[in-house]
Amino acid sequence: MNRLALFEDRSALQFTPIALMRPVFELLCGQFTARERMLKSLSVEEWGVLIRPALTEVYAEEFPQSRINDAIWLSEAPTLLINGRWLPAAHEIPRLADVTAETVGMIGETVAYLLLEPEEATLLTTDAWDDAIMKIASTRKPVAVAGTELNYPWDLVNHNRQQLLDDFALSTSTSPLTVDSRDLTIVGPAELIRVDESAEIDPFVVLDTRQGPIVIDRDVKVQAFTRIEGPAYIGPGTQLFRANVKAGTTAGPHCRLGGEIEESILHGYANKYHDGFLGHSYICPWVNLGAQTSNSDLKNDYSHVKVPLAGMPIDTHAVKIGCFIGDHTKTALNSLFNTGSSVGVMSMVLPVGELLPKHIPSFSRFWLGRIDSQVDIADLFDLADTSMRRRGLSLTAAQRLLLVSLLEETVEERESAIHWWDQKRGTSPAASPQLSIESR
C-alpha cells in the first residue's frame, strides 16, 4: 500500500482544547503522532489527510507535501484510509500493507481503516466524509482490530506509558548509550537507553530503566541532578534543568523543563522551567508555566475526575487526571490547577492564592479572582510572536487566521464561563492589574 490518508471524524471535536489548532492525528502519544507512526511503519509514497476545513491552511503550511481534503487525488488510485483516533496495537500496523477492499477494520462501532476505491472518492465531501466512510464500511466485511479508540484528551495521557514501550522499536534516529557511563547513574538495563550522539548529558544524572526504556533525541541537554524514569521520551532540542521526570512522560521538541513531571505529554515548545508539579496532563505548544505552577491529578476522596471540555463536564472514569492546556496560554507564578482542569488557547492565568477555575475558556484571562475576555487579538498576536521568535519561529498568517476564527467560535463558551463564575463568586468586573510572567 503506497497511498495513505488519515481522517478526522466528528469525535475530533471532543479533543478540545488540545486539538483546537491541529488534527487529532497530530496529537502526541508515545514518541510519535499517529501520522508519524504510520509513515514510519508503512511504505508510503503519497499521503493525504481529511481534516476540519478551518485547519487546512495551517496544515498546508506545515506539511506542503500532504494532499488535504483532495477528492481528485483520492480518485486517482486506491488509498488506505486510517482513522486518526485509532491507536493500533503494535502487531496491527504491519497488517495494513495487505488490506483489501473486501474488508473494513473496526474497533467497536468505529471504522479504524478501510481501502478506498477510486470510484468511491466522489462520496466524500468536507461536510460529511465520516458519514460516507461509514456508508462504504457497511458494504464490507467487518474485521475486529486490536488497539485503542481515543475519544478524549486524557486517553492520550492514559495510554502514553504503553505507547512509549511500543514505540521504542521505531526509535531509529537514536542509538544505544554512548556517553561515558561513569558520569551517569544507570538503574536497570543499560540496553534500554538510547541517546542521540548530539545530546549533552551532564554528570550526576540518573537514568532508571526498571519500568521501561528511555530515549533522548538529538540536541537534548540534560543538566546535572536530573532524574529520568523510563518509559520516557525526551524530544529534539529539549532542555532539562534539575528535573524529576517520572515514568510515562513524553516531552516533545524544544521544551524547557524543570521540577517534577509525572506521566504527562508536553507537545513541544512548552516551558516549565521552574519547580512545581505537573502530573497526568497534556500541555500544548507555546504554553509557559510560571514558577511553582502545579496541578492536582488526584482527588482527596479518590473518586472519578470530571473534566470540563468547552464547559461541559465529562466523566473520565479515572482517578488520576491532571490538566489540559491549549496553545499560547501563560500562567503566572504559583498558579494552582484543580484536578481535571481545562484551559483554552491564548489564555492568561494570574493566581489569587487558591485553586483556579477548572474551566478557563480560550482567549480568557483569570485575575483578581474572576474570568474576563481577552479580545484585543492584536496584543495577543504580538505576545505569541514574541514568544515564538525566542525559538527562531514566528506566528504565520495562516495561524493568525485560525486563531481569529477560534476567537469567534468560542464567544458563547467564554461568555457562559464568565457569567457562571461571576455568579458563583458574586464578583463584578474589576480594574486590570499588570501581569508579570516569567519565560525561559
Side-chain angles (χ1 to χ4, degrees), residues 79-291:
T79 305
L80 178 62
L81 299 187
I82 297 179
N83 194 322
R85 296 191 298 110
W86 177 43
L87 191 62
H91 67 273
E92 287 283 1
I93 299 179
R95 297 179 183 177
L96 294 175
D98 300 320
V99 171
T100 68
E102 283 72 43
T103 62
V104 54
M106 301 291 295
I107 182 162
E109 299 297 317
T110 300
V111 174
Y113 65 80
L114 63 78
L115 185 65
L116 183 75
E117 296 283 30
E119 60 272 16
E120 295 170 329
T122 57
L123 299 174
L124 304 184
T125 69
T126 55
D127 294 327
W129 58 70
D130 47 343
D131 289 341
I133 289 171
M134 285 298 297
K135 183 176 181 180
I136 296 168
S138 68
T139 67
R140 311 281 175 85
K141 178 184 177 181
V143 175
V145 299
T148 301
E149 180 184 357
L150 302 171
N151 290 297
Y152 295 102
W154 47 87
D155 293 335
L156 294 154
V157 176
N158 291 341
H159 288 91
N160 199 53
R161 182 191 289 248
Q162 181 59 49
Q163 195 60 50
L164 283 165
L165 295 172
D166 293 343
D167 286 345
F168 186 62
L170 298 177
S171 307
T172 55
S173 62
T174 54
S175 56
L177 184 68
T178 56
V179 297
D180 193 338
S181 60
R182 293 174 300 177
D183 294 335
L184 295 170
T185 298
I186 300 174
V187 184
E191 61 268 21
L192 293 181
I193 300 173
R194 291 183 180 171
V195 181
D196 190 271
E197 60 182 10
S198 63
E200 300 178 16
I201 303 179
D202 287 353
F204 307 110
V205 168
V206 177
L207 303 179
D208 183 349
T209 62
R210 286 176 294 181
Q211 298 183 64
I214 297 171
V215 176
I216 298 176
D217 219 320
R218 64 185 184 278
D219 299 321
V220 168
K221 296 182 180 180
V222 183
Q223 195 178 73
F225 309 111
T226 290
R227 186 178 190 278
I228 305 174
E229 282 181 3
Y233 172 67
I234 311 301
T238 293
Q239 299 181 25
L240 302 181
F241 303 92
R242 312 163 305 283
N244 183 9
V245 179
K246 300 291 187 66
T249 294
T250 293
H254 301 285
C255 293
R256 305 288 186 270
L257 306 176
E260 184 180 0
I261 304 171
E262 179 182 6
E263 209 150 334
S264 294
I265 300 172
L266 296 107
H267 188 105
Y269 294 95
N271 287 345
K272 185 197 172 298
Y273 181 84
H274 302 282
D275 286 341
F277 173 72
L278 180 71
H280 293 84
S281 299
Y282 195 112
I283 308 299
C284 286
W286 309 109
V287 169
N288 188 86
L289 302 178

Side-chain angles (χ1 to χ4, degrees), residues 158 280 297-299 301-305 316-322 339:
N158 291 341
H280 293 84
D297 62 359
L298 180 68
K299 296 169 69 174
D301 61 1
Y302 306 101
S303 60
H304 287 176
V305 178
T316 67
H317 303 287
V319 298
K320 293 213 105 179
I321 299 289
T339 319

